């Protein structure tokens, strides 16, 4: 392990000032420190941002939320206003990791956790994301849990966060403090598809500090469903974050995002479009799921994700239709 220093930031401005020359921000450390142990990340300086005053969940008068970046995953999933107003978010967070990890993990760190592709995590292997231009052994190698949508020749990795899938469905946005001041990024624009720059997970600039996530009011039933290889402590093979509003036997509004299928949380806009105004029958749900998954390009060993995603979409929306 290379030597590094540890510094605790006292404010956003102080964090930005300390972020230079090989520095990285440290949240709960549950992903970053693992990657340092594996030799995948080699920072020279850790700037601790987990103790900045961004540890509150604010309920706005209109029912929206402002969640500070230093709020722990445990606090977020346990918060009564979140569980009542945005159950899909609380369920997604609870579906991730373990109680001990959620106690340490922060909202900012969760969104920026790195892919679980096994080649990325093995510093002895080539990987375009870790070492641009070195190749992507996953495409012909072990990829049963990797992407079916939006991948490129350069990278077929998936984004691992469950929370991010819920936030994509919820039309959230991310508050960022950068060198040019504060700005707000629509959640869908935070993470990237790999294209020919898989080393860039997000659209953030060097030094950008996530300070909060804004979540608009929802006002309709919502749910998160995740399929994984074990009942706990496992990342999604496929997951679905959905919200559904049915009135007079027709779908008035719907939100749908998929996890475990792409390099970023996948907002299922095609399916949403097909569903608005339709009757929530099994046939129309199936048609909408298939419309979304037409774009899928499965690899040799992950074609099973296409019917899995289709069935999970139909099941989750059917359950929500029954709740409506
Ligand atoms: C065994 C195990 C199982 C897991 N299972 C799941 C799972 O099923 N689903 C799931 O979603 N997750 C899972 N996780 C991942 C876990 O959720 C993440 O490790 C955690 O959320 C990361 O948060 P952190 O605060 O510890 O981030 P850190 O490890 O501290 O940081 C992660 C990244 O975010 C950056 N960062 C942190 N805060 C900020 C900020 N405010 N602004 C800008 N950059 C920042 C860091 O520089 C780093 O690059 C699992 C982890 C483990 C170890
Ligand atoms: S899929 Fe992406 S992360 Fe995995 S080996 Fe290929 S380039 Fe690396």
């Amino acid at each position: 392990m290379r030597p590094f220093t540890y510094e605790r930031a006292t404010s956003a401005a102080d964090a930005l000032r300390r972020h230079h020359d090989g520095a990285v921000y440290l949240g709960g450390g549950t992903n970053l420190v693992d990657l340092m142990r594996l030799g995948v990340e080699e920072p020279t300086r850790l700037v601790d941002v987990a103790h900045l005053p961004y540890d509150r969940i604010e309920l706005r008068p209109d029912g929206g939320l402002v969640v500070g970046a230093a709020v722990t995953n445990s606090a977020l999933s346990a918060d009564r206003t979140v569980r009542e107003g945005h159950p899909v978010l609380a369920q997604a967070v609870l579906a991730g990791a373990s109680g001990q990890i959620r106690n340490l993990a922060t909202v900012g760190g969760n969104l920026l956790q790195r892919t679980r592709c096994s080649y990325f995590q093995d510093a002895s292997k080539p990987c375009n994301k870790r070492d641009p231009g070195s190749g992507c052994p996953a495409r012909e190698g072990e990829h049963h849990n990797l992407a079916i949508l939006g991948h490129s020749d350069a990278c077929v990795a998936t984004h691992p966060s469950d929370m991010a899938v819920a936030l994509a469905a919820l039309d959230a946005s991310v508050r960022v403090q950068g060198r040019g001041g504060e700005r707000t990024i629509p959640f869908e624009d935070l993470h990237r598809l790999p294209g020919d720059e898989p080393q860039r997970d997000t659209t953030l600039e060097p030094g950008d500090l996530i300070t909060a996530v804004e979540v608009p009011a929802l006002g309709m039933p919502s749910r998160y469903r995740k399929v994984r290889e074990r009942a706990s402590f496992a990342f999604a093979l496929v997951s679905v974050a959905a919200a559904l509003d049915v009135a007079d036997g027709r779908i008035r509004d719907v939100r749908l995002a998929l996890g475990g299928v792409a390099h970023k949380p996948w907002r299922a806009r095609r399916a949403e479009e097909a569903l608005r105004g339709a009757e929530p029958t099994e046939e129309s749900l199936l048609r909408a799921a298939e419309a979304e998954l037409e774009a899928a390009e499965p690899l040799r060993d992950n074609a099973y994700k296409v019917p899995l995603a289709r069935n999970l979409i139909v099941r989750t929306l059917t359950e929500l239709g029954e709740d409506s």
Side-chain angles (χ1 to χ4, degrees):
M1 189 180 254
R2 284 205 194 152
F4 60 88
T5 59
Y6 168 89
E7 300 169 19
R8 190 177 275 199
T10 54
S11 66
D14 183 47
L16 277 151
R17 229 179 355 258
R18 293 174 189 273
H19 194 285
H20 57 83
D21 297 337
V24 295
Y25 293 136
L26 175 71
T30 61
N31 184 224
L32 178 60
V33 174
D34 276 358
L35 293 175
M36 289 169 66
R37 287 198 186 104
L38 293 167
V40 172
E41 299 267 9
E42 296 185 317
T44 55
R45 172 187 303 191
L46 296 184
V47 180
D48 188 339
V49 295
H51 301 89
L52 292 178
Y54 301 123
D55 57 351
R56 289 189 50 225
I57 301 172
E58 183 194 328
L59 176 66
R60 287 176 160 169
D62 67 357
L65 300 170
V66 181
V67 182
V71 169
T72 64
N73 289 198
S74 292
L76 181 61
S77 61
D79 188 89
R80 200 165 137 201
T81 54
V82 178
R83 293 171 85 104
E84 288 175 2
H86 300 81
V88 64
L89 179 56
Q91 290 167 15
V93 177
L94 264 186
S98 65
Q100 292 92 332
I101 291 167
R102 291 193 297 271
N103 285 343
L104 272 179
T106 60
V107 165
N110 186 307
L111 300 182
L112 299 188
Q113 60 176 295
R114 311 291 314 269
T115 184
R116 293 280 159 167
C117 172
S118 58
Y119 301 98
F120 174 76
Q121 294 187 310
D122 182 346
S124 71
K125 300 273 180 4
C127 165
N128 285 329
K129 186 179 277 299
R130 186 169 25 77
D131 182 11
S134 61
C136 174
R139 182 166 265 285
E140 296 304 324
E142 174 53 49
H143 56 231
H144 83 280
N145 58 354
L146 300 186
I148 54 170
L149 286 160
H151 51 74
S152 69
D153 286 346
C155 181
V156 294
T158 49
H159 194 270
S161 165
D162 290 295
M163 180 195 299
V165 184
L167 291 173
L170 288 169
D171 285 332
S173 46
V174 180
R175 268 191 216 161
V176 173
Q177 191 74 41
R179 303 213 190 282
E182 191 178 64
R183 66 190 195 284
T184 301
I185 305 174
F187 197 80
E188 266 189 282
D189 298 341
L190 176 66
H191 298 99
R192 298 177 65 254
L193 290 177
D196 54 11
E197 283 187 299
Q199 68 275 21
R200 291 182 56 217
D201 291 350
T202 69
T203 56
L204 294 178
E205 300 293 334
D208 276 351
L209 176 73
I210 296 180
T211 57
V213 177
E214 297 175 14
V215 189
L218 184 59
M220 54 180 144
S222 67
R223 184 167 295 212
Y224 189 72
R225 277 204 164 270
K226 171 175 175 179
V227 177
R228 46 190 156 177
E229 283 172 338
R230 295 187 302 266
S232 71
F233 236 53
F235 291 84
L237 296 172
V238 175
S239 67
V240 168
L244 189 72
D245 179 14
V246 179
D248 302 325
R250 301 232 164 233
I251 295 173
R252 191 160 54 181
D253 199 4
V254 58
R255 313 278 180 77
L256 194 61
L258 305 177
V261 295
H263 195 258
K264 61 184 283 188
W266 188 268
R267 182 73 184 258
R269 297 266 182 207
R270 274 195 200 180
E272 290 181 2
E273 210 173 294
L275 287 169
R276 280 201 187 90
E279 289 176 35
T281 60
E282 188 177 341
E283 198 193 355
S284 64
L285 300 181
L286 200 54
R287 243 196 333 263
E290 280 170 352
E292 189 65 47
L293 294 164
E294 254 173 34
E297 293 181 293
L299 306 165
R300 185 193 61 226
D301 293 332
N302 69 1
Y304 74 94
K305 285 195 178 191
V306 179
L308 186 57
R310 184 192 62 214
N311 295 346
L312 200 60
I313 292 172
V314 172
R315 178 162 173 195
T316 311
L317 291 174
T318 302
E319 288 168 352
L320 282 171
E322 287 162 3
D323 290 353
S324 269

